[in-house]
Amino acid sequence: MDESPLQVLTLPTAPYLDQRPGTSGLRKKVFVFLSKRNYLQNFVQSIYSSIDLRDRQGSTMVVGGDGRYFNQTAIEVIVQMAAANGVGRLVIGHHGIMSTPAVSCVIRKYKAIGGIVLTASHNPGGPNGDFGIKFNTANGGPAQEAVTNKIFQISRTIEEYAICPELRVNLATPGKQMFDLENKFKPFTVEIVDSVESYANMLRNIFDFAALKELLSGENHINIRLDAMHGVVGPYVKRILCEELGSPANSAINCVPLQDFGGQHPDPNLTYAADLVETMKSGQHDFGAAFDGDGDRNMILGKHGFFVNPSDSVAVIAANVFSIPYFQHTGVRGYARSMPTSAALDNVARATKIELYETPTGWKFFGNLMDAGRLSLCGEESFGTGADHIREKDGLWAVLAWLSILAARKQSVEDIMKDHWQKFGRNFFTRYDYEEVDLDTAVQMMEDLELMMLEKGFVGQRFAVGEKLYQVERADNFEYTDPVDGRISRNQGLRIILTDGSRVIYRLSGTGSTGATVRVYIDSYETDPNKIFQDPQVMLAPLVTIALKVSQLHERTGRSGPSVIT
Ligand code: G16
C-alpha cells in the first residue's frame, strides 16, 4: 500500500450531447475519445453517477475489455475514477483483457453490482478504428434501457467528475493491490484475475468435457478449425479447446489478441471471415468457427465451408438441447429470438411445446426473461447465440454446444442441418447491410417508408415478381412489451408481413460509429422437400426485389448494392 493517502479531486467538465448508448453501449471512433477533452471521463462519471450512492459505496465492480487500441489507457482512468467515486473493489482481467462473456461470468461469480466492458465488438480497432464502453448490471448483462437512458441524461448535463489522478494500477500482475485514499477508512482494492480460468471452470460445469475430448482428440477424432480473428477469445480457445480438450495447436488460428485485430474487421461472417471459409472449402476440416473482437459472436461452418445461418444455429441447438448436460439438469424454461431473426426456433418451440419470446434486437432484452426464470436458450441473426448460464451471448459456448451435438449424433454439420430442415421445414433468411450511409438520408428514408406503410391501401397491396405473387398482410413498426415488467420498447424495426408468412424488415443498426447502417432482413418459410436445399439467395430473390422497390433504397442512398450479405 502507498505510504501517503491518495488525493481525491473533483474537476470541472462540460457535457457532450452525443453520448447516447446504442444497441450495446457507446461506440465511437477512437479519435473522438482522444481528441475531445474528457470525453471518456464524462461517460464514465455518468455511469458511476447513475448508480445510487448507497449501492456504489464499498461495492465490487468488474472491468474488462477486448484489448483493442485505447483499452489500457481507458482502464487506468476508469480505475482512478472508481476509487474517487466510492467503489470499494475492482476486479479486472489480466492486462485489462476479458472477453464479454467472461465479464458476465465474473460479475456473477463475484456478486458484483455491475461491470464496465470496453469493446466496440466486431467493429475494426486501432487508432483509426472504433472504441466502445458498455455498462453491465448485477445480473451480468447489458444494462436495461431505463439505466442507459439515465446514463445518457446525466451525460447531457454533467459539470464535474471525481478522480484520484495519482493512483497507478498495475494490470500486469495477478493478485490484490490496495490503495489508501484520503478521507476513506477502508483501502480501495484492485484484484487482477485470470478470467480464462473462471470462464473455463464455468464451461466445465455446463458441458461433458470427457465426451468433447474424445471427439477432438480420441481415436476417431474430427478435425476442427477455429479463427479467433486476433480478438480477445484467442487465449480462451487455446486454453480450453487446445490445452484441455486436446485439439492440435494448429487447429486454432489468429489467437494472439491484437490492438487493431491485424487491420481486419473482427466480424465472423462470410465476408469478413472469408479466409476461414476458403480454408474450410479444402475439405480437410469437419467443423469450423470464427469469433468477433470481444468473443460473444460466432459463425459455425461445416465441412467444405457449409454455412450454418445463425437463425438456424439456435434452432438446431434447441432441437438437440439435451446433448448438453447443463440443460439435462436445469430443463428448458423457454426460448427467445430477436424479431428480425428467422422463425426457425419457433418451429422447434412449437413442436416441443416450449414458450417462445420474440424480443427487439439487443441481448439486454433476453436478460430480463432469464432473470425471471422464463428463458433458457436464445439467439439472434447477428451471429449471437447463448443461454442463461450468463447474461451475454457467448461465442465459445456456442461452439461447444455444436461440438456436443456432433459428439452425440455422430453426424456431420451438413447432415444435422439437412435433417433439421426435413423435420421442421426451412426458414430461408438473408440480411443485406448498407454500411456508412449518410445518416440524414437513412433516417429520412425510414420515416418516408413508415408513412407509406401506414397509408390506407398498403395492407392488401400486391407485388408480382416473375411468376411469384405476394400480398401484404400486415405492416407495422415493431413494438415490444416486456412480459416481466411491462415496459414498452417502440420503433424496433419496420415490418412488412406477407400473406404467405414471408417478411421484409428494415432497421437502422445501433452499433455503427459512422453515419448509418441500414439493415434489410428477409425471410420465408418452405416445407416442400424439393425446395428446402436450394440457395437462399435464389429463393429470396423476388422478396429482395420487392424490399428494394418499396424502400427505393438504392435510389435514395446512391448505393448499387449492400456492403455485406448474410
Ligand atoms: C450487439 C447486441 C446484439 C445485436 C447486435 C447488432 O451485439 O448485443 O444483441 O443483435 O449488436 O445490433 P445492430 O443490428 O443494432 O447493429 P455486439 O456483438 O455488436 O455487441
Side-chain angles (χ1 to χ4, degrees), residues 23 27 121-122 297 363 380 382 393 507 509-511 519:
T23 307
R27 292 181 190 172
S121 185
H122 52 289
R297 297 184 177 207
W363 207 261
E380 292 187 288
S382 55
K393 55 188 184 274
R507 245 190 96 243
S509 156
T511 56
R519 303 205 196 284

Side-chain angles (χ1 to χ4, degrees), residues 21-49:
T23 307
S24 203
L26 180 72
R27 292 181 190 172
K28 297 280 178 197
K29 288 278 174 216
V30 166
F31 74 76
V32 173
F33 286 92
L34 292 180
S35 62
K36 294 196 171 181
R37 193 177 157 74
N38 295 335
Y39 198 81
L40 173 73
Q41 287 83 343
N42 280 16
F43 193 70
V44 172
Q45 184 61 54
S46 304
I47 292 176
Y48 291 137
S49 299

Side-chain angles (χ1 to χ4, degrees), residues 73-93:
T73 314
I75 290 193
E76 283 159 11
V77 171
I78 288 167
V79 175
Q80 293 175 335
M81 291 182 65
N85 276 279
V87 174
R89 176 168 72 146
L90 281 187
V91 177
I92 307 179

Side-chain angles (χ1 to χ4, degrees), residues 22-25 27 100 119-123 134 142 267 292 294-297 338 340-341 360-366 380-384 392-393 431 433 507-512 517 519 521:
T23 307
S24 203
R27 292 181 190 172
T100 292
T119 175
S121 185
H122 52 289
N123 297 6
K134 180 169 71 159
D267 196 354
D292 69 338
D294 62 327
D296 55 358
R297 297 184 177 207
S338 63
T341 304
T361 296
W363 207 261
K364 55 186 175 250
F365 294 101
F366 297 138
E380 292 187 288
E381 47 65 40
S382 55
F383 295 86
E392 288 278 8
K393 55 188 184 274
R431 184 177 100 181
D433 293 338
R507 245 190 96 243
L508 296 186
S509 156
T511 56
T517 294
R519 303 205 196 284
Y521 313 79

